[in-house]
Amino acid sequence: TLAISLFYQTRFNHRKAQQTQKATQWENILVCITLVASIIFAAAYYYLATLVSSQLWAMIALIAAMHMGSATMTCLYSKKIILAMLLPTFSPLVIAFILIAQPISFILAASLTIFAGVVLFFSISVNRSLINGLNIQVKYEDAAQQSEYYKKKVETSTFDDPETGLFNRRLFDLIINEEIRRAKRINSTLSLVMIEVDCLSQYKAQYSQ
């Protein structure tokens, strides 16, 4: 069940990254798979608790606790999956111990209930922290993209001529100074070609700015 949980967790994260709009659909599918696996294990625990001798009850309770703790660690990213895994797994076993109605079974039932409550509390806390962290990351990425957009916008408006879309004199001054420094640094020559368009006013009159 841990291998299945890890496999579907990886698939869920991959699908969520590729198809954000279908994240809820993939989560619901994983909830159903987790619920089915939990019910199967719960039936097995219930059957074992009512079948074996009292000397093995503590071992069954320990295995169930290890199962719940380990499986919960693989699904901390979803609150619904935590509930689908945790509650169906331990509830039938606790009921079985209560129905047996012996002092040791009552102790084991109480211990499992306390353990499940602690695991559920910390799992929900970690899940909340993970979700907050993801939200902060998304907000940071959005802010970074917006900052990059405005940076490019400023650079474009600074160096582009709004009428023609061509580079303006400001960018030429910046580039020529940089090229002169580069030529001096590597001890190289620098060639500059300047073209003058004759009758520019007639071009502008005929074809506009």
Side-chain angles (χ1 to χ4, degrees):
T1 189
L2 287 177
I4 293 174
S5 299
L6 287 172
F7 172 76
Y8 277 99
Q9 176 188 358
T10 304
R11 294 291 298 169
F12 172 75
N13 291 335
H14 181 67
R15 293 290 184 176
K16 185 177 181 180
Q18 284 187 335
Q19 304 174 355
T20 308
Q21 68 277 10
K22 293 186 178 181
T24 304
Q25 176 184 349
W26 287 103
E27 185 180 17
N28 292 334
I29 293 174
L30 191 52
V31 166
C32 295
I33 295 173
T34 304
L35 190 59
V36 171
S38 300
I39 292 174
I40 293 173
F41 274 95
Y45 288 138
Y46 183 90
Y47 177 75
L48 287 174
T50 56
L51 181 69
V52 301
S53 61
S54 59
Q55 288 81 6
L56 296 178
W57 288 344
M59 181 64 68
I60 295 174
L62 178 61
I63 293 174
M66 293 174 61
H67 171 207
M68 288 186 289
S70 301
T72 304
M73 292 172 60
T74 66
C75 53
L76 292 173
Y77 55 90
S78 173
K79 194 179 300 183
K80 291 192 290 187
I81 298 176
I82 292 173
L83 296 175
M85 189 284 306
L86 193 61
L87 297 179
T89 302
F90 89 94
S91 300
L93 185 56
V94 171
I95 293 172
F97 283 139
I98 293 175
L99 292 178
I100 292 172
Q102 293 189 17
I104 183 65
S105 65
F106 285 130
I107 294 174
L108 291 174
S111 301
L112 276 176
T113 303
I114 294 172
F115 176 80
V118 171
V119 170
L120 182 62
F121 172 77
F122 282 107
S123 299
I124 298 299
S125 300
V126 173
N127 172 264
R128 190 180 298 112
S129 300
L130 290 175
I131 298 301
N132 290 337
L134 290 175
N135 292 335
I136 292 174
Q137 182 180 358
V138 170
K139 291 180 180 179
Y140 172 78
E141 291 176 353
D142 291 342
Q145 291 178 357
Q146 191 174 14
S147 176
E148 187 67 22
Y149 169 77
Y150 284 119
K151 180 180 178 182
K152 291 181 179 179
K153 195 73 174 177
V154 170
E155 290 177 353
T156 302
S157 61
T158 302
F159 297 131
D160 285 5
D161 178 64
E163 296 288 341
T164 62
L166 301 176
F167 294 134
N168 56 21
R169 172 63 184 271
R170 187 179 292 108
L171 182 62
F172 171 79
D173 292 340
L174 181 66
I175 291 178
I176 192 63
N177 290 330
E178 181 63 28
E179 292 299 327
I180 291 173
R181 285 195 295 269
R182 182 181 291 109
K184 289 181 179 180
R185 186 169 63 252
I186 63 176
N187 195 22
S188 172
T189 57
L190 177 65
S191 299
L192 178 64
V193 178
M194 302 189 69
I195 300 175
E196 180 180 1
V197 181
D198 294 331
C199 305
L200 181 61
S201 59
Q202 296 179 18
Y203 281 106
K204 291 172 63 177
Q206 179 69 27
Y207 300 105
S208 77
Q209 181 71 21

